[in-house]
Amino acid sequence: MPEARLHDGSTIELEVHGEGPAVLVPVNPRPVEGLRAEELRRWGNDPALGRSLIDGLADAYRVVAFDYEGQVLQVPKPDTLTPDNLAGDLLAVADAAGAERFAWYGYSWLALAGLQLALRSDRVEALAMGGWPPLGAPYAEMLRVTIATHDMASAPSGARQGGAGDAAAAAPSSQPAPASSPEEIDWSTVEMTLSEAQTRQFVTLYQALQGFDERAALPRLSCPRLCFVGSADEVDYDQRWGGVDVSIAGPVVQRRAELEALGWQVEILDGLDHTQAMQAANVLPVLRPWLDTALAASGPGSTPAPPA
């Protein structure tokens, strides 16, 4: 199985499925099983999300799947998860897969990662972002949330009760109390399970993005671009988690005309929240036809086979 070496010297495995233009998808290609799968279902997540996305694309595309979020949680990068290093890691994955040119699909903070990558490399043929606005993104709000998350992780274990299940665009941070549906989860009983180093790496990332000038950056992009969000993607955090409202849908809805004028295809998934809009059943009907159009001129020759 191919491996890529990341900026901190650690490695990440990748799986390659199908033939055709390369599409990099930072997802876990292996279905989660057991108690962890049950936990994901309680949150409304598909334990086989990565596999479902791969299966929905691999008949026409060379899908390069790799669990980057899982890797940074397993091997934290507390002081070095910067936009430059993040983009370098993603290019290392493309190199390991033999993909000189490729499309990118990422969701939430991995959509943010794709944007930073596309701004730093002309190797991105098409950029698809789900669950993160290209313009008006809540970088300041997410810094406050991640600082609060880090403070919680740094506290003595007895003080780790809090209410931030999904940090909207950081990383899965905690385990919910049992509930029969995601809507019934009691967020006040959520217990922090990430370490100080795991949470600090996201503080490092959002601190580095505080000066990011979206309006100056976006006109530099010329590849086909897709942005989609659920219309109900709004998260309100109490004071323990920064006391901020993290709006993902709002900036896209409010700036839709501006984004379209900049060349983006914008899709609003009616009634869906952050978790619902990332499920394959909702992603593929948007992503697949867009890729078919965006990469229509590409062929297998643009994505050479990986080195032996």
Side-chain angles (χ1 to χ4, degrees), residues 75-196:
V75 187
K77 305 156 198 341
D79 300 312
T80 62
L81 192 65
T82 63
D84 283 339
N85 286 335
L86 180 55
D89 286 349
L90 305 181
L91 289 176
V93 170
D95 290 342
E100 179 59 31
R101 302 269 293 167
F102 53 87
W104 174 271
Y105 164 64
Y107 192 87
S108 198
W109 77 276
L110 294 167
L112 177 163
L115 176 60
Q116 295 300 314
L117 171 63
L119 289 168
R120 287 165 169 77
S121 174
D122 60 4
R123 295 170 60 180
V124 179
E125 285 189 299
L127 171 64
M129 297 176 59
W132 186 261
L135 193 60
Y139 293 107
E141 293 85 347
M142 283 310 305
L143 178 60
R144 290 175 64 179
V145 172
T146 52
I147 288 174
T149 305
H150 176 255
D151 289 345
M152 288 286 291
S154 303
S157 58
R160 289 188 175 189
Q161 291 288 115
D166 165 78
S173 59
S174 41
Q175 296 183 5
S180 59
S181 71
E183 291 77 12
E184 296 176 9
I185 291 173
D186 181 358
W187 298 108
S188 66
T189 68
V190 172
E191 183 176 353
M192 173 60 60
T193 58
L194 294 186
S195 70
E196 186 276 338

Side-chain angles (χ1 to χ4, degrees), residues 235-248:
V235 184
D236 299 333
Y237 292 103
D238 64 25
Q239 290 302 316
R240 289 164 296 181
W241 297 92
V244 295
D245 298 338
V246 175
S247 178
I248 302 297

Side-chain angles (χ1 to χ4, degrees), residues 32 49 51 61 83 88 100-101 107 118 121 125 131 155 158 168 177 191 198 205 217 251 255 262 265 274 284 288 300:
V32 177
L49 174 60
R51 174 56 56 181
Y61 298 100
E100 179 59 31
R101 302 269 293 167
Y107 192 87
S121 174
E125 285 189 299
E191 183 176 353
Q198 286 172 320
L205 177 62
R255 295 169 172 82
L262 287 168
Q265 179 173 322
H274 195 71
L284 288 170
R288 177 61 189 264

